[in-house]
Structures are given as C-alpha cells and as structure tokens.
C-alpha cells in the first residue's frame, strides 16, 4: 500500500496540470493583465476575420460574405506586377540598412553611456538622445525640408561658402533617399532603444567586474568579455524581432519625405498596399499584400528563433 502511494506521488504531472498550477500561483498577475488581454483580443484578434477579403473580390458597401471568391488571384496579380521587384528591393534595402545601423547603434551608444562616470552628464546625454523618439514624423519631415531642401539651410550655407554653384536636390534625387531615411531613423530611435540595453547592462553581476579587475581586464576587456556576453540574450531576442520586421520598412517616412521623383526608391510594401488598397479602393488587393507580408514575417521570426535556439540556446518561444 505504501509503495503504491509513493509511486503515485512520484509520477510526473501532465503538462496541463503544471500550467494550471503555474497560473494559480500567478493569479494576481493574471488578474492585473485581464484588461490588457481583453484589449488585445478585441482590437487585434477579432478584426482578423477581415483578412478573408484577400481571397475575395470585395466591393466596399457590399456584405463581405456575399462577395465573389477569387482564391489567390490578388497574390498572383501582385507577383506579376511590373512594380513587384523594385518594391521588394526598396523594402529589403531600407530594412537591411535599418538592421545594420539601427540595430547596432543602440548597443554602441549604451556601451558608451555605461562608461561615463559623471552621472549628471550621462543623464543629460541619455535624455537628449531619446527625445527625438517623441517627435512626430510630420515635424521631422518639416525639419528635413528646412535643412535639406533646395532653399534649405545646408544648400544655402554650401553656396555661400562656394562649395557648390547650384542647390543639391537631397530630397529630390532617389540616390540620396535610402541613406537619408536610414540616418533619420537612427537619429530618431537610437536613444529610445538604448534604454533596453542600459537596463540589461545594469543587471550584470558586479562580482564579474571585480573578477575582471583581478584578471587585469581594461575597459575594452570588460566590455568584450563581460558586458557583451551578459547581455547577449537581450541582443539575440531583439535581433530575432528585428528579423521578423524586415518587411516593415516604414510608412509615414516614405509618405512624408518621398515624392514622385524618388518613388523608384521610396515605394515599399506598406505604401504600395495603402495606395492601391485605400486610395484606389481596391481593398482586397491591399489586404492580400499585407497578409503576404505578415505571413513572411511570421516565418522569418520562427526561422530565426529556431536557429538561435540551436546555435545560442536563446529563443523567444
């Protein structure tokens, strides 16, 4: 009888029982999260039934489920569109530059801020760096036109100094657009993203720094052998999320800064879907493009997560 009791008590519990026990232990946290869960469900999940119009010939004002089914017609139309390749090129180029510079810049800035010993100066620099995050793109676009426009400050100064004879169309030539947009994105978001890495650095065990001093590590050695390995999980997680958003090359920036002269370089998936889906009233076509983008992003996140889990033993799932 006793052996049966011991055997029953040592049997592994089912996964459902473990989840139920964990939820019960964290019941207060779940109660606090209920309003946010409901908000996400109502505004993010319930509207998802509307994606079926990507497979219909939807006519605005008509009952959605009375529309004709067209299957993958809209997807094939987009793939065979003459704009497909240059839109895909622009999206990948802008996103790639964003990951290359926009992902690494906050890490570098966080490491530099962490090396500052004057707390007041450190706080001032950090505050100045993340203030642009709160500036709307409408204001940013106005600033760019005031500085880089044909009659802007930069052209006026260069002409007065005799470096150029006529204004340079920084905002009117496509060859400048990718670099200009990448620099603006980095300037706007680098400080805000730095907060995450500074928090991760603050959580590094101080005993590791003491051990590093004993081993004779300098500042660069501390960064390379202690700080970077300690914040690697944070870096990997944010990189995985960044890979998932590689097709999100921006929307407001292109609409506000781009123009007809730079369309070949600024048109991306989001602006293309907006143009044909909203402005021209072809909602099904726009929905098909957005759905395709979301599916590809999900596949990229899962793929990057799987690779990271096998190679670095770090994942988000």
């Amino acid at each position: 009888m006793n052996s049966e009791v011991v055997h029953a008590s040592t049997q592994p519990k089912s996964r459902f029982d473990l989840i139920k026990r964990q939820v019960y232990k964290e019941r207060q946290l779940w109660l606090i999260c209920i309003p946010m869960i409901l908000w996400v469900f109502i505004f993010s999940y319930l509207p998802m039934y509307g994606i079926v119009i990507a497979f219909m010939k939807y006519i605005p004002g008509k009952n959605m489920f009375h529309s004709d089914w067209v299957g993958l017609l809209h997807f094939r139309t987009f793939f065979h569109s003459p704009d497909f390749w240059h839109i895909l090129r622009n999206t990948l180029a802008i996103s790639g530059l964003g990951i290359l510079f926009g992902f690494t810049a906050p890490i570098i800035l966080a490491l530099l801020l962490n090396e500052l010993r004057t707390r007041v100066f450190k706080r001032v620099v950090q505050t100045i760096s993340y203030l642009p995050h709160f500036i709307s793109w409408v204001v940013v676009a106005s600033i760019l036109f005031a500085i880089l426009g044909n009659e802007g400050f930069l052209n006026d100064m260069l002409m007065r100094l005799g470096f150029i004879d006529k204004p340079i169309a920084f905002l009117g030539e496509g060859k400048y657009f990718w670099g200009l947009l990448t620099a603006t994105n980095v300037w706007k978001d680098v400080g805000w993203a730095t907060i995450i890495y500074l928090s991760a650095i603050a959580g590094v065990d101080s005993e590791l720094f003491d051990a590093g001093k004993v081993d004779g590590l300098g500042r660069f050695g501390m960064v390379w052998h202690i700080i970077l390995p300690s914040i690697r999980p944070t870096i990997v997680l944010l990189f995985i999320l960044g890979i998932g958003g590689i097709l999100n090359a921006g929307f407001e920036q292109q609409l506000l800064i781009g123009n007809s002269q730079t369309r070949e370089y600024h048109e991306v998936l989001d602006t293309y879907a907006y143009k044909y889906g909203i402005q021209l009233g072809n909602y099904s076509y726009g929905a098909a493009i957005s759905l395709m983008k979301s599916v590809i992003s999900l596949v990229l996140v899962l793929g990057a997560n799987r690779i990271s889990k096998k190679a670095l033993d770090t994942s988000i799932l």
Side-chain angles (χ1 to χ4, degrees):
M1 180 67 178
N2 292 336
S3 62
E4 292 179 358
V5 173
V6 173
H7 178 70
S9 63
T10 57
Q11 283 184 342
K13 295 183 178 294
S14 66
R15 186 177 181 85
F16 177 76
D17 291 335
L18 294 175
I19 294 175
K20 187 168 65 173
R21 175 175 291 186
Q22 187 70 19
V23 170
Y24 180 77
K25 288 175 61 178
E26 301 173 351
R27 59 188 182 279
Q28 294 178 340
L29 179 61
W30 283 104
L31 286 173
I32 295 174
C33 294
I34 284 177
M36 184 56 64
I37 293 173
L38 290 175
W39 185 90
V40 172
F41 177 74
I42 293 172
F43 293 101
S44 297
Y45 284 92
L46 282 182
M48 287 181 68
Y49 76 91
I51 64 177
V52 297
I53 68 172
F55 308 95
M56 298 176 174
K57 189 176 181 181
Y58 174 67
I59 300 175
K62 185 178 179 181
N63 190 318
M64 182 175 66
F65 294 103
H66 292 166
S67 301
D68 297 330
W69 288 88
V70 295
L72 301 177
L73 175 65
H74 300 303
F75 297 92
R76 289 195 296 266
T77 302
F78 177 60
F79 290 143
H80 291 92
S81 169
D83 295 324
F84 173 74
W85 287 111
H86 91 260
I87 289 173
L88 184 63
R89 180 202 65 179
N90 295 344
T91 302
L92 294 178
I94 293 173
S95 297
L97 290 171
I99 292 176
L100 179 62
F101 296 101
F103 179 76
T104 56
I107 300 174
I108 296 173
L109 180 59
L111 294 174
L112 293 175
L113 287 174
N114 185 64
E115 293 300 316
L116 294 177
R117 295 294 177 260
T118 307
R119 297 185 63 181
V120 175
F121 181 66
K122 178 179 179 180
R123 290 177 179 176
V124 170
V125 173
Q126 187 177 355
T127 302
I128 293 174
S129 67
Y130 71 67
L131 278 179
H133 176 78
F134 300 98
I135 302 176
S136 72
W137 273 107
V138 176
V139 177
V140 173
S142 300
I143 295 173
L144 287 176
F145 282 110
I147 296 176
L148 301 177
N150 288 345
E151 298 179 359
F153 169 76
L154 182 59
N155 273 313
D156 182 62
M157 182 181 67
L158 292 175
M159 292 180 68
R160 288 176 181 272
L161 294 174
F163 290 111
I164 57 175
D165 297 324
K166 60 180 181 179
I168 300 174
F170 293 107
L171 301 175
E173 293 188 27
K175 62 182 180 180
Y176 299 118
F177 189 84
W178 291 351
L180 176 63
L181 186 63
T182 301
T184 306
N185 280 325
V186 171
W187 167 77
K188 195 173 186 301
D189 294 326
V190 63
W192 185 255
T194 299
I195 296 174
I196 300 175
Y197 294 108
L198 285 174
S199 301
I201 293 173
V204 178
D205 192 348
S206 59
E207 293 183 0
L208 294 176
F209 294 107
D210 295 335
K213 291 179 181 178
V214 172
D215 291 338
L217 292 178
R219 285 193 172 185
F220 182 78
M222 293 284 191
V223 170
W224 187 257
H225 295 287
I226 296 177
I227 295 179
L228 286 178
S230 298
I231 67 173
R232 187 181 66 178
T234 302
I235 296 174
V236 172
L237 293 181
L238 292 178
F239 181 74
I240 291 173
L241 295 176
I243 290 295
I246 198 170
L247 296 182
N248 295 322
F251 176 72
E252 296 173 318
Q253 306 95 302
Q254 283 82 353
L255 290 181
L256 292 169
I257 303 174
N259 52 62
S260 59
Q261 295 173 310
T262 61
R263 181 182 179 275
E264 187 179 352
Y265 290 86
H266 83 252
E267 192 82 281
V268 294
L269 287 171
D270 286 330
T271 57
Y272 186 79
Y274 168 75
K275 178 187 297 182
Y276 283 89
I278 304 298
Q279 291 184 328
L280 299 181
N282 195 347
Y283 295 103
S284 295
Y285 188 57
I289 297 172
S290 299
L291 177 59
M292 178 203 68
K293 189 190 76 169
S294 299
V295 171
I296 293 175
S297 297
L298 176 61
V299 171
L300 289 174
V301 167
L302 295 177
N305 182 75
R306 187 175 182 85
I307 294 172
S308 173
K309 191 172 185 178
K310 286 188 175 182
L312 303 172
D313 197 25
T314 302
S315 65
I316 59 176
L317 299 174

